[in-house]
Amino acid sequence: MMRLIEKGLMYGNLFHVNGQAMADRYNRALKHLTGKETALTDFHVDISGYAPEVGEELGDHLYLNPKGCNRQFILLSTEQRTAPLLEAKFSTSRGILRQFIDANEAQLFALTARDAVAGELVNSVYSVTKPAHLFDIRKIRVEADTTSGVVADAGKLDGMIAEFRERDDAWWDDVLIADMIKLAHKTGDVTRVPIKLGHAEYEQGNFWTAHFGGLYAFRDVEKPAVISMSEDDLGNLPVGQGGAAIGASERTKIAKFLNDNELVEPIVKARGVDAVAILRQKLDFIVVDVAATMEADLSQVRRTDLRSLARRYSDLLPPEFHTLGKLLRWAEGGGAWPRISSNDPAYFYTLRAKPHPDRDLVNMLLAELAPLDVRQLFICHKELFYARYRGWPDQKKTFVADFLAREYMVDKAGAREALFGSGDAPMEEPLQPEEPRDVVARVGPWGAVRRTR
């Protein structure tokens, strides 16, 4: 994994904790939350305050995420908001932390100037021992305070001030006045600089979880479903009215779910994308996968070299390559329109999420269903990318690390927009009354569509 770390593809953009003073603040929060401490004074933390180095030291990489259910966090600086979330168990956790930090930036900036802020993403479930327990999680409440309890003390002081102002005899209440002065020494003047953390409750609608082999729960769509990446029996799941539990091997059911809820669109029909360039790159990744297993030299390989490798290993190329090749020939204007069913191994390689609130979640699912597209896998599902990277041949590891560092890291925002569309795109584009309903919506992406000239 050192290739990825050296190129900033793993553990990148973490917040650097350096020095005894900051390490002491971290330790106070760590002991407050877990009862543990670290002897390290130089390490790196993610948006939640988790440090891989501390995880190694403690022998527990879930030291801030017990049982993978209620994520705890340590904020040393508001700069942590741009960091990734490592060891993620729910796809919603980073977004909730980011929203919480953004909504309380001024307060957190002031609080972390003096102390660490420790907290937890709290839900009504404390242990996920059964898949059905996941569906009891609807709201996530953020509870946070400094290790010295400044936020709680400020709340008490606010109450005392209100009582002092409302009671006619408060001027003669020496105990109340003494308590107010004592708390004010800790909190400062809360009448001029209020200390209160707001926006502390968030909805968890559609989400991915790493539990039980990986589950995608779509509850807030017209036709709900749970898609399981494991073939294990999950029992009865409270998916919702008319909902379905779908296994990873049930490709037709997955395709129908995505189309029925209008969550995806074919790359070749998406607006504002270079479909030809995207398809060519997908083909290159497939060639690299085959060539690496044959121990071919992939150092400093160019597209012309990849074409030569494709010819050399043509008998070994998987069905995905041949189907995508037909689609590329059509997109370039020189081939017939390919009919691609959901049973075709290339089917999910041809799709991307439509613009809607769960676009990232759908692209994450598509990345898992199209694992040879290593760029999409890295962008949309890093945990799975790292897991699969460990098992790749050395030649493929080198090629992929070099490619991502060269083609993606230099302009991450531009690459994401080119592949998946602008994040500012409207979430819904209703048809005009006089326009007929799009044929893609009626018959699916690869129905009776014909290329027009």
Side-chain angles (χ1 to χ4, degrees):
M1 309 300 284
M2 286 304 300
R3 290 186 188 87
L4 300 180
I5 297 173
E6 290 169 357
K7 294 179 182 294
L9 298 167
M10 187 176 188
Y11 301 147
N13 205 32
L14 298 178
F15 180 77
H16 189 194
V17 178
N18 185 21
Q20 189 65 52
M22 189 171 285
D24 287 344
R25 287 166 54 194
Y26 185 87
N27 254 337
R28 288 197 298 272
L30 183 61
K31 189 170 184 179
H32 174 75
L33 291 174
T34 68
K36 303 174 182 177
E37 291 184 290
T38 175
L40 302 177
T41 58
D42 192 314
F43 51 92
H44 301 79
V45 299
D46 69 1
I47 189 173
S48 74
Y50 159 76
E53 301 97 323
V54 175
E56 286 291 329
E57 178 195 23
L58 299 177
D60 178 14
H61 286 283
L62 292 178
Y63 69 92
L64 282 182
N65 195 13
K67 298 183 179 180
C69 190
N70 291 84
R71 188 95 189 197
Q72 297 172 311
F73 61 89
I74 299 172
L75 296 179
L76 298 171
S77 168
T78 54
E79 293 179 23
Q80 285 175 237
R81 66 181 174 185
T82 60
L85 179 66
L86 307 178
E87 299 291 333
K89 298 300 181 183
F90 289 91
S91 60
T92 52
S93 297
R94 185 183 184 276
I96 290 172
L97 283 169
R98 177 66 187 262
Q99 290 177 68
F100 176 73
I101 295 171
D102 286 344
N104 297 279
E105 182 177 7
Q107 298 284 7
L108 291 172
F109 182 82
L111 291 170
T112 55
R114 296 182 294 175
D115 197 359
V117 172
E120 184 175 352
L121 305 186
V122 182
N123 61 67
S124 59
V125 176
Y126 299 99
S127 176
V128 182
T129 57
K130 297 180 181 179
H133 291 166
L134 295 167
F135 295 85
D136 294 330
I137 304 173
R138 265 295 179 180
K139 291 183 182 292
I140 305 295
R141 188 177 70 260
V142 182
E143 294 183 354
D145 201 344
T146 64
T147 55
S148 58
V150 169
V151 176
D153 287 339
K156 293 178 184 177
L157 183 55
D158 278 334
M160 291 178 180
I161 292 172
E163 181 184 351
F164 182 82
R165 287 171 173 171
E166 292 170 3
R167 276 177 48 195
D168 294 335
D169 62 343
W171 283 103
W172 293 274
D173 191 334
D174 293 338
V175 174
L176 176 62
I177 293 172
D179 288 342
M180 289 170 61
I181 293 172
K182 182 178 179 181
L183 285 177
H185 279 302
K186 294 178 63 178
T187 66
D189 186 352
V190 295
T191 60
R192 293 186 178 183
V193 186
I195 301 176
K196 183 179 293 185
L197 299 175
H199 296 278
E201 193 169 90
Y202 302 86
E203 292 283 342
Q204 176 155 297
N206 302 327
F207 64 91
W208 165 86
T209 177
H211 292 284
F212 308 106
L215 292 175
Y216 294 83
F218 292 90
R219 301 183 288 185
D220 297 340
V221 293
E222 185 177 348
K223 297 182 179 180
V226 173
I227 300 173
S228 170
M229 293 297 110
S230 169
E231 295 301 328
D232 296 339
D233 183 11
L234 302 180
N236 294 324
L237 299 179
V239 180
Q241 186 174 4
I246 305 173
S249 61
E250 298 178 288
R251 297 172 61 86
T252 300
K253 290 184 179 180
I254 296 175
K256 188 176 188 306
F257 160 77
L258 294 172
N259 292 324
D260 286 349
N261 289 287
E262 299 184 350
L263 297 175
V264 296
E265 62 185 355
I267 293 169
V268 294
K269 293 184 70 69
R271 294 188 304 175
V273 302
D274 187 348
V276 169
I278 293 174
L279 290 171
R280 283 177 179 164
Q281 196 64 71
K282 291 176 185 286
L283 289 169
D284 289 347
F285 292 143
I286 296 174
V287 172
V288 166
D289 182 71
V290 172
T293 61
M294 301 304 293
E295 300 184 354
D297 183 9
L298 297 175
S299 59
Q300 298 181 344
V301 67
R302 297 171 298 177
R303 176 157 278 142
T304 54
D305 301 320
L306 289 172
R307 286 199 295 267
S308 297
L309 290 171
R311 288 191 290 268
R312 184 189 308 175
Y313 301 117
S314 58
D315 293 341
L316 302 177
L317 293 171
E320 293 95 321
F321 182 88
H322 302 293
T323 301
L324 291 176
K326 293 176 183 177
L327 185 59
L328 175 61
R329 288 191 289 275
W330 174 85
E332 291 177 326
W337 173 263
R339 297 181 61 84
I340 306 175
S341 73
S342 57
N343 289 320
D344 192 302
Y347 179 79
F348 294 110
Y349 288 83
T350 68
L351 303 176
R352 75 170 194 177
K354 283 185 176 181
H356 52 72
D358 292 304
R359 181 181 65 178
D360 290 347
L361 181 63
V362 173
N363 280 328
M364 186 180 187
L365 170 62
L366 292 174
E368 189 156 2
L369 296 170
L372 294 179
D373 187 346
V374 292
R375 176 172 55 181
Q376 180 163 339
L377 191 63
F378 176 78
I379 295 172
C380 301
H381 202 332
K382 282 187 174 58
E383 294 296 328
L384 184 59
F385 173 88
Y386 296 140
R388 291 185 171 168
Y389 179 93
R390 292 184 178 93
W392 289 345
D394 196 63
Q395 293 88 341
K396 183 173 180 178
K397 289 180 179 178
T398 301
F399 174 87
V400 171
D402 290 343
F403 172 85
L404 291 173
R406 183 179 66 251
E407 302 289 340
Y408 174 65
M409 296 300 290
V410 294
D411 184 13
K412 293 188 283 188
R416 290 180 68 90
E417 182 172 348
L419 292 171
F420 310 119
S422 172
D424 298 326
M427 295 305 178
E428 186 176 2
E429 298 174 345
L431 295 168
Q432 297 299 321
E434 67 273 16
E435 291 181 344
R437 183 171 171 80
D438 186 2
V439 67
V440 173
R442 285 193 286 110
V443 300
W446 305 109
V449 180
R450 295 292 184 270
R451 176 165 57 93
T452 57
R453 295 187 182 274

